[in-house]
Amino acid sequence: MRSFSESIAETKKRVEQDHFTYRPLHQERREIRLVQLGRELRVASNGKSVPILRLHHTSFDEKNLPQYTALSYTWGAGPTGTVLIKYKGVPAREVQVSTNLLDALCHFARLSDQSLETVGRVFWIDQLCINQNDKDEKNHQVGMMTEIFGQAKMTNVWLGSRQAPLSCEVFKKYNQDAFRIATVISNDPELCDDHSTASQVVDRILSELFMDNWERFHALVDFCTHPWFERAWVVQEVATSSKVIVHWGGGKCEWSSFQNLWLLLQWLIKRIMYTKDRHEVAAALPLVRTVSTLHMTVYQSLNPPRTYPLIELIKSMLICGKTRATQPEDLIYSTMGIASDKDTCGIEVDYKKHYTEIFTDAAFQFLKTLGAQALAWSCQRTKTKDCCRLPSWVPDLRLRLGFMVIEPILTYRFDPSLKLFSAAGNSNFEYTVGENRENLFIRTFYVDRVVEVKPFDFMAEHLISAGSVALQYQAWLADYGKFFNLAADRVPTRYDDSIRQEMYWRIPIADYYFDGAANATRRAGSEVKEWYKAILHPGGSLSASAISMSTRYKRNVIVEDHVAFVTATGYIGLGGWETVEGDEVHLVQGSDVPFLLRKTDGHYQLFGQAYVHGIMDGELVHDNTEFQWLEIH
């Protein structure tokens, strides 16, 4: 019998030392590569048992396309593993793959033949089936991604082998409850009565989750915050697949279970936000991000799937939260395949370009489609170090969208005609671009200069010590009111007493709210004023209806994450948290809302939208108003 060292030596001899060489794909025949997973593991040169994969080509033009399954997973960073890969008639060669992919392949290789009937041994795996060093091939294959996942027998999602046993147990336990809720209520949780079966199920789950030092709650958070949910490619992969099975070390389930989980999480978050203290609310924030991130994936996986233009898909991902991609340009490419305008959007897959060029191409498309509204995407907040390579009017798509007045974070309908405001009147947006494609020329009307900025820290010590969340909001709004009283006193003629009373409740929500029943944005009216008054109920002892109204107001408040400002002539408004003294308020021709610009080294940079009380409906724009050309860097 051979010794272990002899086995390794033989393996080293068998495996050639040169790099694995891919045979080229015939793009005209729409060829792809598939890998067949062997039943056995072999010892690699590192002494570890690894899968052996047989690679072959096939074409979508063939009448009898072989059945295969697609694999969806996270590449991950850090250590890599080794697999053996070969073409027919060619000796096996070692190839480095991500550790997570190696875990997946080892997991599937160990499954019994009976289990593999639902998984299959022939896979399409991007890391192995695309020559990652050939950018021309990568451009072609990524352009075929929707067809690759659409033609697959199924898509297997791999969450990893290291999921904590309790996390898997909690998910499986509450999956049945999620199914019950899904069958009881409609897609809008707001329509359900607080005493319904669904509500009772949620209350029971919460009582269980917060027992024993929150052990089950943390386990649920651990499961729901897996990096796979943040992948930019997830929406397209799930939406185009005929069937999706989610695998992890401790089990598997169909995608419908995650659709139900998404609904359950909404209910859990709703209850936590309404009934728990600030510590539990803070602990629930990861679940909020998971719900947001899953939103477009769930919507796109419905049958039939909902279709959106590319711009709207990208915007939804950026608003939702932690959408990640190994390469920044994939934030655009990952949604192109399911966009309703994929053939006319003017963007092509090209990995030879730097991502800043792709982002700039996208910005041009946004300007053509959305006009001045596209400038709202370019908020400068939280700029990364290499973001200086982007002009200020080109959005850094790696970041969440910042301060947006034109529509709230849960609106996904693409409707350019929906206008809440008309700050620039009925003017039309005009722009030109410099020869270097870096400078944007737009027409603006100068309004005023910011002279004072007031950040609002909802977690300030004196607010936390106020007690319950309701009392904290009361204290916070009292701080807010003092600032605006002092600001308004500077130029008493700007806002009279009646307007001041309106400011207190309109400015914190930027004078709009989200109507959940209609899935639409509305200008604030008298009903919103009643919600605001409910928060100010003396003593913090609120009736059930008052709690409901105050909660509706709190949901629409945007000041918490932004700053208030006052201008030299007494205008009061809201801006992104990077707003500073000296920033200028401008009306951009054709825009719905004002913008904040900053003059640096003799040129202007764009710093996002603003809400300015008293000028949002075109009060400053008349027939003889002159908009001047301004160069934006």
Side-chain angles (χ1 to χ4, degrees):
M1 180 179 294
R2 291 177 302 171
S3 67
F4 181 69
S5 59
E6 289 174 334
S7 297
I8 294 178
E10 184 177 331
T11 300
K12 287 182 177 180
K13 183 178 179 181
R14 185 178 65 245
V15 178
E16 296 183 10
Q17 296 304 310
D18 58 324
H19 293 291
F20 176 76
T21 301
Y22 282 99
R23 294 173 181 172
L25 293 171
H26 293 284
Q27 296 186 9
E28 298 79 8
R29 296 182 61 232
R30 299 190 302 138
E31 278 193 343
I32 63 171
R33 297 185 185 93
L34 298 175
V35 291
Q36 184 172 0
L37 178 62
R39 288 179 168 81
E40 76 284 356
L41 301 179
R42 290 189 185 176
V43 179
S45 58
N46 59 9
K48 296 182 179 180
S49 296
V50 299
I52 182 166
L53 303 162
R54 292 171 176 82
L55 197 64
H56 65 275
H57 296 192
T58 188
S59 168
F60 282 128
D61 290 338
E62 293 179 7
K63 293 182 179 180
N64 299 316
L65 185 71
Q67 286 194 339
Y68 65 94
T69 63
L71 186 65
S72 175
Y73 63 105
T74 55
W75 278 44
T80 58
T82 300
V83 297
L84 294 170
I85 191 167
K86 60 171 293 183
Y87 278 109
K88 184 177 180 180
V90 178
R93 293 172 174 85
E94 292 187 357
V95 173
Q96 298 296 306
V97 296
S98 67
T99 302
N100 192 42
L101 175 56
L102 178 59
D103 287 345
L105 293 172
C106 289
H107 172 80
F108 292 131
R110 285 191 293 263
L111 291 179
S112 66
D113 289 342
Q114 183 176 2
S115 298
L116 277 172
E117 288 181 8
T118 59
V119 174
R121 290 196 176 275
V122 180
F123 288 86
W124 184 89
I125 304 171
D126 58 354
Q127 201 171 150
L128 295 172
C129 295
I130 298 177
N131 182 356
Q132 301 295 328
N133 296 318
D134 184 339
K135 292 185 178 179
D136 286 325
E137 178 180 299
K138 192 172 180 180
N139 293 341
H140 179 257
Q141 293 290 287
V142 169
M144 295 174 61
M145 203 72 81
T146 55
E147 193 169 12
I148 290 171
F149 277 82
Q151 292 285 351
K153 178 182 178 182
M154 69 178 70
T155 294
N156 289 293
V157 174
W158 174 248
L159 296 185
S161 59
R162 295 173 177 83
Q163 287 288 332
L166 182 59
S167 297
C168 301
E169 177 191 330
V170 169
F171 170 75
K172 288 187 285 188
K173 174 179 173 59
Y174 295 123
N175 186 42
Q176 290 300 317
D177 291 320
F179 177 76
R180 289 181 61 193
I181 291 176
T183 58
V184 170
I185 64 175
S186 69
N187 287 332
D188 185 358
E190 296 293 333
L191 301 179
C192 190
D193 159 328
D194 283 343
H195 301 289
S196 71
T197 303
S199 181
Q200 293 169 13
V201 170
V202 169
D203 288 338
R204 175 182 59 76
I205 293 174
L206 278 182
S207 66
E208 294 174 358
L209 288 176
F210 287 106
M211 290 171 56
D212 301 326
N213 297 319
W214 299 9
E215 187 178 20
R216 287 181 176 276
F217 178 78
H218 291 306
L220 180 63
V221 170
D222 180 62
F223 190 91
C224 294
T225 53
H226 188 281
W228 181 83
F229 295 115
E230 301 170 5
R231 288 182 65 242
W233 288 98
V234 163
V235 176
Q236 177 173 284
E237 290 169 357
V238 172
T240 55
S241 299
S242 59
K243 183 177 182 180
V244 178
I245 305 292
V246 183
H247 300 259
W248 60 91
K252 64 179 180 179
C253 68
E254 293 196 12
W255 176 251
S256 58
S257 296
F258 281 88
Q259 292 176 328
N260 297 336
L261 174 67
W262 174 71
L263 188 57
L264 173 61
L265 289 178
Q266 290 187 78
W267 269 80
L268 290 175
I269 291 166
K270 177 182 176 183
R271 277 290 192 276
I272 291 170
M273 296 298 181
Y274 293 2
T275 64
K276 301 297 180 180
D277 63 27
R278 63 185 178 86
H279 299 290
E280 291 162 321
V281 169
L285 291 180
L287 295 181
V288 176
R289 288 192 288 269
T290 297
V291 166
S292 297
T293 306
L294 272 175
H295 187 97
M296 282 304 297
T297 307
V298 171
Y299 267 45
Q300 286 295 321
S301 64
L302 296 176
N303 188 19
R306 305 187 180 196
T307 57
Y308 300 88
L310 175 65
I311 293 174
E312 194 70 4
L313 289 170
I314 296 173
K315 182 179 69 173
S316 298
M317 286 201 307
L318 297 177
I319 292 174
C320 284
K322 297 170 64 178
T323 304
R324 301 181 186 275
T326 305
Q327 296 179 264
E329 53 268 43
D330 282 343
L331 292 168
I332 296 175
Y333 298 157
S334 63
T335 56
M336 282 179 56
I338 56 173
S340 59
D341 59 347
K342 61 183 178 182
D343 297 325
T344 59
C345 68
I347 301 174
E348 295 183 355
V349 177
D350 189 353
Y351 285 96
K352 292 182 178 180
K353 289 185 176 181
H354 192 269
Y355 78 87
T356 54
E357 294 182 73
I358 305 300
F359 285 5
T360 302
D361 290 342
F364 285 135
Q365 187 63 25
F366 301 160
L367 288 170
K368 290 177 184 178
T369 306
L370 297 179
Q373 290 188 32
L375 299 177
W377 293 40
S378 307
C379 186
Q380 294 287 99
R381 56 188 295 183
T382 323
K383 286 289 186 182
T384 54
K385 289 183 179 179
D386 58 342
C387 193
C388 59
R389 300 181 63 174
L390 289 171
S392 67
W393 54 274
V394 175
D396 186 351
L397 301 179
R398 296 167 299 175
L399 308 176
R400 281 192 63 184
L401 284 186
F403 180 49
M404 293 191 68
V405 170
I406 54 174
E407 53 186 342
I409 64 171
L410 294 182
T411 299
Y412 292 94
R413 291 195 304 181
F414 182 75
D415 186 0
S417 66
L418 180 64
K419 296 183 66 172
L420 297 179
F421 306 105
S422 54
N426 295 319
S427 59
N428 295 317
F429 180 57
E430 292 184 59
Y431 73 95
T432 61
V433 180
E435 292 182 3
N436 59 3
R437 285 170 48 95
E438 293 183 358
N439 301 338
L440 180 72
F441 296 85
I442 56 176
R443 286 182 178 271
T444 77
F445 174 76
Y446 173 80
V447 177
D448 208 352
R449 177 174 54 86
V450 174
V451 296
E452 185 177 354
V453 173
K454 170 69 173 177
F456 286 95
D457 184 5
F458 186 66
M459 298 305 292
E461 188 61 36
H462 72 289
L463 297 181
I464 293 175
S465 62
S468 68
V469 173
L471 290 174
Q472 288 177 42
Y473 259 91
Q474 289 180 18
W476 176 73
L477 287 171
D479 273 6
Y480 162 83
K482 290 176 184 177
F483 171 75
F484 283 103
N485 274 331
L486 292 173
D489 287 342
R490 288 187 173 191
V491 186
T493 56
R494 176 62 67 195
Y495 302 115
D496 60 29
D497 289 341
S498 63
I499 295 179
R500 287 194 187 193
Q501 295 301 316
E502 294 279 299
M503 287 194 312
Y504 294 142
W505 61 271
R506 288 189 186 275
I507 293 180
I509 60 174
D511 202 18
Y512 75 85
Y513 73 100
F514 178 66
D515 183 347
N519 189 31
T521 312
R522 310 286 190 199
R523 282 293 288 270
S526 57
E527 72 280 12
V528 180
K529 183 177 181 180
E530 295 304 311
W531 301 348
Y532 168 80
K533 289 165 64 176
I535 293 182
L536 302 183
H537 190 280
S541 176
L542 303 177
S543 65
S545 61
I547 289 175
S548 176
M549 287 192 293
S550 64
T551 300
R552 288 184 181 183
Y553 186 84
K554 286 184 286 186
R555 280 187 199 159
N556 289 281
V557 166
I558 63 173
V559 177
E560 290 179 43
D561 198 28
H562 304 94
V563 301
F565 63 78
V566 59
T567 70
T569 61
Y571 284 113
I572 300 172
L574 301 176
W577 64 265
E578 286 193 353
T579 303
V580 298
E581 295 178 12
D583 286 351
E584 298 179 8
V585 179
H586 286 249
L587 297 179
V588 175
Q589 192 173 42
S591 68
D592 298 345
V593 298
F595 282 85
L596 289 166
L597 304 180
R598 184 175 302 170
K599 196 170 187 178
T600 306
D601 298 330
H603 60 261
Y604 283 95
Q605 288 187 313
L606 185 68
F607 270 75
Q609 295 176 298
Y611 172 86
V612 182
H613 198 70
I615 71 169
M616 301 302 291
D617 295 306
E619 292 89 340
L620 298 183
V621 180
H622 309 287
D623 292 340
N624 59 350
T625 300
E626 292 188 11
F627 289 83
Q628 304 295 325
W629 282 104
L630 205 65
E631 183 177 359
I632 308 297
H633 285 224

